[in-house]
Amino acid sequence: GENVEQHPSTLSVQEGDSAVIKCTYSDSASNYFPWYKQELGKRPQLIIDIRSNVGEKKDQRIAVTLNKTAKHFSLHITETQPEDSAVYFCAARRGGSQGNLIFGKGTKLSVKP
Amino acid sequence: GAGVSQSPSNKVTEKGKDVELRCDPISGHTALYWYRQSLGQGLEFLIYFQGNSAPDKSGLPSDRFSAERTGGSVSTLTIQRTQQEDSAVYLCASSTGLAGGLLWDTQYFGPGTRLTVL
């Protein structure tokens, strides 16, 4: 089955710097890769996703890149702000089904003012 | 519109007791998922419903765990004879579940039920 590895587990940056979180997946049939942000005590919220037919997607300060050959995808946050502090989860879903997401273990991002 | 809701928000129970956790998906969403999040861990898939059917029960950790969904809406996750290792936040998510191979269906999460087994 699918396995998703996420790195780093913790990341601390200064406000205004960029943050990059990387994930790798094992199942070449996976074709949907969402990223969720979870603030302390809150529900996970989708912040961006990418489909396997696209190599990069941007939404304001957030971007995601996908390398299908290497089976890895990354989240890039530019001009970080203290409110970006949260746990970020990457996930993958296998094509051909509407089944469950397989999540990475999360990255705790701290943005210091 | 209203998002995914779950109840109770917190549940404290004694080891060996049974518990029921409820999920109300977004209206019209036919796909429903249960995940478990242990302290400081990622989200672990438990079970998936399409309508009232559960085509994927592969994530249920033991036969003490069961789930049902009636009327294509509300779902209940039941844990029998709870153990301390069952303590976690149980998250429910729903998606449109459109037929025809919509492969990139966004899952929307509920706030979760924090279960503590003493």
Side-chain angles (χ1 to χ4, degrees):
Chain A
E2 176 65 281
N3 183 51
V4 176
E5 299 283 342
Q6 182 171 348
H7 300 281
S9 56
T10 60
L11 179 60
S12 181
V13 300
Q14 288 295 132
E15 182 177 1
D17 287 351
S18 295
V20 180
I21 302 170
K22 299 181 179 181
C23 289
T24 59
Y25 61 99
S26 60
D27 189 344
S28 58
S30 290
N31 64 0
Y32 174 65
F33 308 93
W35 287 87
Y36 284 82
K37 175 183 180 182
Q38 187 176 32
E39 297 177 13
L40 190 62
K42 302 287 183 63
R43 72 188 74 191
Q45 300 265 21
L46 180 73
I47 55 172
I48 196 167
D49 56 15
I50 192 166
R51 305 173 183 182
S52 59
N53 57 347
V54 174
E56 183 176 7
K57 184 178 178 180
K58 290 183 179 179
D59 183 2
Q60 300 182 342
R61 297 185 297 107
I62 295 173
V64 57
T65 58
L66 172 65
N67 184 326
K68 284 189 65 179
T69 302
K71 290 191 283 189
H72 67 69
F73 55 112
S74 300
L75 178 71
H76 304 251
I77 306 174
T78 59
E79 300 172 22
T80 54
Q81 301 167 4
E83 52 265 37
D84 293 329
S85 296
V87 178
Y88 292 80
F89 293 97
C90 64
R93 182 164 68 212
R94 196 172 187 276
S97 73
Q98 295 175 358
N100 56 292
L101 294 168
I102 302 298
F103 284 86
K105 292 193 180 300
T107 296
K108 183 177 181 180
L109 174 64
S110 300
V111 180
K112 298 181 178 179
Chain B
V4 179
S5 62
Q6 292 184 245
S7 62
S9 55
N10 281 284
K11 177 71 177 179
V12 180
T13 190
E14 293 179 348
K15 178 181 174 181
K17 300 281 191 182
D18 298 351
V19 295
E20 283 190 354
L21 312 179
R22 176 187 169 108
C23 172
D24 279 276
I26 293 172
S27 179
H29 280 194
T30 62
L32 186 148
Y33 309 82
W34 283 98
Y35 295 89
R36 177 168 71 175
Q37 185 174 30
S38 301
L39 186 63
Q41 298 295 311
L43 284 76
E44 174 192 5
F45 167 73
L46 297 178
I47 189 170
Y48 152 62
F49 286 92
Q50 178 61 36
N52 293 332
S53 300
D56 191 350
K57 302 180 182 179
S58 62
L60 293 176
S62 77
D63 58 8
R64 297 185 295 105
F65 287 72
S66 63
E68 64 175 13
R69 190 179 185 196
T70 56
S73 182
V74 172
S75 176
T76 302
L77 177 69
T78 301
I79 309 173
Q80 295 178 311
R81 305 180 302 281
T82 52
Q83 303 294 313
Q84 289 183 332
E85 60 262 30
D86 299 335
S87 296
V89 175
Y90 288 82
L91 289 159
C92 172
S94 72
S95 66
T96 60
L98 293 178
L102 183 65
L103 304 177
W104 306 292
D105 213 17
T106 298
Q107 293 185 19
Y108 299 90
F109 281 85
T113 294
R114 181 175 297 279
L115 174 66
T116 303
V117 182
L118 301 177

